[in-house]
Amino acid sequence: MKNIVILISGRGSNMEAIVRRCAAEHWPAQVVAVISNRAGAAGLAFARERGIATAVVDHKAFASRDAFDEALAKAIEAFAPDVVALAGFMRILTPGFVQRFDGRLVNIHPSLLPLFPGLRTHARAIEAGCKVAGATAHFVTGDLDCGPIIAQAVVSVLPADTEVSLAARVLEQEHVLYPRAIRWLVEGALERRDRRVVHVGGESQLLGPR
Ligand code: GRF
């Protein structure tokens, strides 16, 4: 059994999707902990209801980014993780932290990377006149939203789309994409070749377009 630790800052709908798929599809893994940097993160309640261990490491309680990352890393390591999944975790992590979990640290970003790293991805896609948008599951490296891509989901940008409607359609795909990427990781089905990530069984790493 592999151990999955999920980091959240808020709603936690991706975390919820991972927990549900892990149980429903009988992955060779379990979500052992959900850790948040905000005590008020809504997702913590879902984790508690499911009997999953939760922890809060509040970034505001630390004088420096290094001190916060050290405390966070210790909290994570207490659960002996094979996978550490960022799921709407709104802190930039130090290179030391990223290095410590290299190969085990993954993220979901709501754009077709390398387009639109950072915030306001949906608004920026609409403003740029993009006809497609989507989400990317990727390994985390030292560069923000730039790690090797595990899988991507593509959705159409419709003429009437607003930031809100596009975000909702992309989020639906995130809930399929991210659990799938994490499942592949716990199954040992991913091979990293420099910047490229390949599914060894040849499963499609592209979802959609929808
Ligand atoms: C998602 O859109 C995710 O891609 C981004 O932050 C959002 C988190 O949503 N990184 P949730 O907390 O998983 O509901």
Side-chain angles (χ1 to χ4, degrees), residues 173-186:
Q173 296 310 306
E174 290 182 38
H175 295 164
V176 181
L177 181 77
Y178 203 22
R180 190 171 299 178
I182 292 172
R183 177 182 185 159
W184 289 341
L185 190 56
V186 297

Side-chain angles (χ1 to χ4, degrees), residues 10-15 87-90 107-110 171 174-175:
R11 181 176 57 185
S13 70
N14 277 288
M15 174 272 296
F89 186 69
M90 301 301 283
N107 183 39
I108 179 89
H109 183 76
L171 188 66
E174 290 182 38
H175 295 164

